[in-house]
Amino acid sequence: MTDTINPPIPPRDAFKEGGAISIETITSVEQWNDDLFSLKMTRPASFRFRSGEFVMIGLPKEDGKPLLRAYSLASPSYDEELEFLSIIVQDGPLTSRLQHIKPGDPIYLGKKPTGTLVTDALLPGKRLFMLSTGTGLAPFMSLVRDPEVYGMFDEVIVVHSVRRVADLAYRELLESKLEGDPLLEDEDRARMIYVPTVTREEFHTSDRIQTLIDDGRLFANSKGPKHFVPEEDRVMLCGSMAMIKDHAADLENRGFEEGANNKPGQFVIERAFVG
């Protein structure tokens, strides 16, 4: 039943443009499963971001004020549209409404992207590991489609851990090694390695990321060492708070130092989402 007082997607005249937000238009929606979807929206000509950053998006509240939440950009920095990946939380103030969005609907977009899941926060290295759970894959979909990343690393390894096979968003695209990407060269695509793992259903890989690290399976398709090498490997983490804290502690125990925009290091997390 639709809430007539505070409908899921208000009409465009309910949106008020401001100094920090613009009003964009949804161009497409992809439903991955009952709890997971991605959306694309128009991109303002003045909007610039680094692959891996996040920005605020949202809808008007009943009182007319914007209801905004931070979402990682899943589109590469050169894309003409902006893409986001979202779960559906039925009692969530924003996602319970955002799940009803369709092409042509208006949406708020913040004007100031930011974040630490960017290559600027990493020291030069040979392999880039992107470890994600759930919708934590989003910023890595931005990075893995950015040609500049392949100019910095010999291998780009995308690891995605989910509970169900249906939660593997972008699976076909990643399994195809980004086939049809307009800017990636064949040699770039050949150096991209996709490691999906499903923890609660039958799948060819069905262990948590930490287990894959410890027993070496995470490195099975890499041409490099079958373990982490702090001097050469760089790691990005994005997922649940518990996942990030556990892996950050593990990396530090292995001799890795966390980086930031003003002090590059050997691994990075999205500080804004962890606290």
Side-chain angles (χ1 to χ4, degrees):
M1 183 176 178
T2 301
D3 184 346
T4 55
I5 297 176
N6 194 21
I9 311 300
R12 189 170 291 268
D13 59 12
F15 288 72
K16 309 299 180 186
E17 195 143 7
I21 54 176
S22 63
I23 304 170
E24 301 306 318
T25 301
I26 296 296
T27 56
S28 66
V29 177
E30 179 154 2
Q31 198 77 35
W32 298 102
N33 59 41
D34 291 343
D35 305 310
L36 185 68
F37 69 101
S38 56
L39 58 87
K40 292 184 179 182
M41 68 177 70
T42 53
R43 177 178 181 169
S46 60
F47 190 86
R48 298 286 182 271
F49 71 97
R50 296 176 296 173
S51 295
E53 288 189 316
F54 69 89
V55 71
M56 308 299 285
I57 66 172
L59 300 167
K61 294 189 291 186
E62 183 181 345
D63 61 8
K65 295 180 180 178
L67 172 64
L68 304 172
R69 294 289 185 270
Y71 273 78
S72 293
L73 288 135
S75 45
S77 58
Y78 61 81
D79 206 310
E80 294 180 355
E81 296 177 314
L82 301 177
E83 185 174 359
F84 301 89
L85 179 64
S86 179
I87 57 169
I88 298 170
V89 180
Q90 293 300 341
D91 59 352
L94 181 59
T95 62
S96 62
R97 299 169 60 198
L98 205 59
Q99 66 176 311
H100 300 289
I101 210 157
K102 61 186 184 302
D105 285 339
I107 189 168
Y108 279 133
L109 171 70
K111 294 182 179 180
K112 293 183 178 180
T114 188
T116 49
L117 286 176
V118 292
T119 55
D120 289 344
L122 290 174
L123 294 166
K126 292 185 177 181
R127 297 187 295 188
L128 174 61
F129 291 85
M130 297 184 273
L131 311 184
S132 65
T133 58
T135 55
L137 177 67
F140 301 152
M141 289 307 302
S142 176
L143 285 153
V144 78
R145 291 184 277 186
D146 190 331
E148 290 188 6
V149 173
Y150 295 90
M152 302 172 65
F153 298 95
D154 297 336
E155 292 182 340
V156 177
I157 301 167
V158 184
V159 184
H160 191 203
S161 176
V162 295
R163 295 177 178 180
R164 304 172 299 166
V165 176
D167 296 329
L168 289 172
Y170 303 100
R171 177 185 175 186
E172 289 187 8
L173 179 62
L174 290 168
E175 285 183 338
S176 76
K177 288 186 174 285
L178 309 168
E179 184 176 356
D181 189 280
L183 294 189
L184 292 184
E185 301 289 344
D186 288 346
E187 61 184 36
D188 295 334
R189 295 174 52 237
R191 290 186 282 122
M192 193 280 287
I193 299 170
Y194 174 45
V195 184
T197 184
V198 178
T199 59
R200 295 192 181 179
E201 289 182 354
E202 288 291 324
F203 195 64
H204 59 70
T205 306
S206 57
D207 286 297
R208 295 182 181 277
I209 295 174
Q210 189 63 56
T211 302
L212 303 182
I213 294 171
D214 293 340
D215 66 19
R217 280 179 292 161
L218 191 85
F219 313 90
N221 293 319
S222 171
K223 295 179 181 178
K226 304 309 177 186
H227 55 84
F228 281 135
V229 181
E231 294 77 19
E232 299 179 354
D233 293 332
R234 302 296 171 253
V235 186
M236 292 179 162
L237 304 174
C238 193
S240 67
M241 287 185 12
M243 172 268 194
I244 291 174
K245 290 180 179 179
D246 287 349
H247 282 289
D250 178 68
L251 289 169
E252 288 175 346
N253 287 337
R254 295 173 187 267
F256 284 75
E257 293 186 4
E258 184 182 348
N261 281 298
N262 60 354
K263 187 182 179 183
Q266 294 153 319
F267 80 95
V268 289
I269 66 176
E270 185 45 77
R271 277 284 167 194
F273 296 160
V274 176

